[in-house]
Amino acid sequence: MNIQENYSLKNHNTFGVEVSAKYFAEIKSLDQLTQILRNTSVQKFKMLFLGGGSNVLFTQDFDGVVLQLNLKGISEKIVSDNEVLVTSQAGENWHEFVQFCLDKNYGGLENLSLIPGNVGTSPMQNIGAYGTEIKDTFVSCKVLNLETLVVEEFNHEKCNFGYRESIFKREGKGKYVILEVTFKLTRKDHLIKTEYGAIQSELKNLGIEHATIQDISKAVINIRQSKLPDPKVIGNAGSFFKNPSISVEQFLEVQKTHPEMPNYPQGELVKVPAGWLIEQCGWKGKQIGNVASHELQSLVIVNKTGLASGKEIYDFSTMIIESVKEKFGIELEREVNII
């Protein structure tokens, strides 16, 4: 296994920020991973496990060891006439995995098409889009316990999923590495979800009346491409902020001065679109230095010139948080991992 020194991470983060790692290694097997973790000379450094680099912002060089998990492989197990278990290794590209399932006519992940990143990081933040979340089809994942170096299995309950949350972002943060993920998908009686966002109107634009799971995926891809910038063209990490959930009392108070505020009641809480809040504060399309809020989706911060530092992007996000807090009394939370 080749461990490289002072390795540039510019091509390993979708913001395209120029930072370097003191040491870097690509991991292609569990044996390689355990071997490097047992290396006493490596153990004295802090470690960072990197997937597709799509949900991370480096604000400085990483003075430690960056391990890129590139475990590959997909397997299937038919469990009934209508159900199949599909297991993907952590290093598989998420969108390519979704397309693999759609090619087999396996349903359940189509609304999550074109989300950047790798399969291994998908359970960490319970990725979701257009009315679907990972937790809806997730069965289990195998993880490596970094303290014992023993492989463990986490079922749905143990993962403790929440909105853009899981055990891996809370009490289990830094304690485990996800090796593979298993999903239960449908083989024929697919649940078609068209009620969220602009899916219905996009299907109409495509002239589709009775949508298949492949049609849903196509509609989602079209919508995402029309709204969200391609990280290969302009550096970004997708949605930078979570949609805040506030108390009913706080919502009613804000609604007095902003009756037009979109809202999605969730029992004792009300979810408010972060993009709308940011746009109302005048950030949509606004550029400061090398950084900007995207002109079509204010929830996305972009490395406009390609020359932005991580700190510059972070400071830009702080200004957005402060302005939303001042105008609405609502504090936005970053969805992107800050390093």
Side-chain angles (χ1 to χ4, degrees), residues 106-218:
Y106 298 157
L109 302 177
E110 54 278 357
N111 292 56
L112 303 177
S113 297
L114 210 63
I115 292 179
N118 290 354
V119 173
T121 52
S122 64
M124 291 181 68
Q125 63 177 42
N126 183 25
I127 62 172
Y130 300 102
T132 301
E133 292 179 309
I134 277 295
K135 68 179 180 61
D136 300 335
T137 52
F138 176 93
V139 174
S140 64
C141 62
K142 286 186 178 178
V143 305
L144 183 68
N145 184 313
L146 293 176
E147 184 177 339
T148 63
L149 297 187
V150 171
V151 175
E152 301 178 15
E153 186 164 323
F154 278 48
N155 61 16
H156 193 290
E157 183 180 3
K158 194 171 180 179
C159 286
N160 196 14
F161 291 119
Y163 171 61
R164 301 296 181 268
E165 288 282 358
S166 72
I167 187 175
F168 304 110
K169 287 190 73 174
R170 297 190 299 264
E171 60 269 32
K173 187 173 183 179
K175 296 180 181 179
Y176 306 96
V177 175
I178 297 174
L179 304 173
E180 65 178 40
V181 188
T182 298
F183 302 91
K184 182 184 284 185
L185 306 178
T186 51
R187 298 177 62 206
K188 56 179 185 177
D189 298 331
H190 306 307
L191 177 62
I192 305 295
K193 293 185 177 181
T194 63
E195 67 277 6
Y196 197 96
I199 292 181
Q200 288 184 10
S201 59
E202 181 58 29
L203 289 172
K204 189 174 181 180
N205 290 340
L206 294 170
I208 296 169
E209 290 186 16
H210 304 288
T212 64
I213 54 175
Q214 290 79 11
D215 293 332
I216 297 296
S217 175
K218 176 63 176 172

Side-chain angles (χ1 to χ4, degrees), residues 283-296:
W283 285 97
K284 191 173 185 179
K286 185 174 182 178
Q287 181 174 348
I288 298 176
N290 297 302
V291 188
S293 177
H294 193 252
E295 60 270 16
L296 296 179

Side-chain angles (χ1 to χ4, degrees), residues 1 3 25-39 42-43 47-50 65-71 89-90 142-146 149-151 175-180:
M1 181 172 30
I3 299 179
E26 182 183 8
I27 305 297
K28 294 185 178 181
S29 69
L30 176 58
D31 285 344
Q32 282 187 346
L33 179 57
T34 53
Q35 177 187 335
I36 199 168
L37 292 175
R38 287 193 174 104
N39 188 323
V42 170
Q43 288 173 356
M47 290 190 188
L48 174 66
F49 296 90
L50 198 61
V65 183
V66 172
L67 301 177
Q68 183 179 37
L69 293 176
N70 203 15
L71 310 175
Q89 298 297 300
K142 286 186 178 178
V143 305
L144 183 68
N145 184 313
L146 293 176
L149 297 187
V150 171
V151 175
K175 296 180 181 179
Y176 306 96
V177 175
I178 297 174
L179 304 173
E180 65 178 40

Side-chain angles (χ1 to χ4, degrees), residues 6 22 26 58 178 183 197 230 275 309 332:
N6 300 318
K22 189 177 183 70
E26 182 183 8
F58 288 98
I178 297 174
F183 302 91
D230 185 346
S309 68
L332 295 181

Side-chain angles (χ1 to χ4, degrees), residues 44-61:
K44 56 188 173 185
F45 294 101
K46 58 183 178 180
M47 290 190 188
L48 174 66
F49 296 90
L50 198 61
S54 61
N55 195 44
V56 62
L57 173 63
F58 288 98
T59 59
Q60 58 190 334
D61 291 337

Side-chain angles (χ1 to χ4, degrees), residues 73-102:
I74 301 172
S75 62
E76 309 154 60
K77 180 183 179 182
I78 294 174
V79 292
S80 74
D81 192 41
N82 187 48
E83 293 178 325
V84 59
L85 296 178
V86 186
T87 300
S88 171
Q89 298 297 300
E92 292 287 347
N93 175 272
W94 173 259
H95 179 65
E96 291 175 8
F97 172 64
V98 172
Q99 294 306 304
F100 169 90
C101 294
L102 289 169

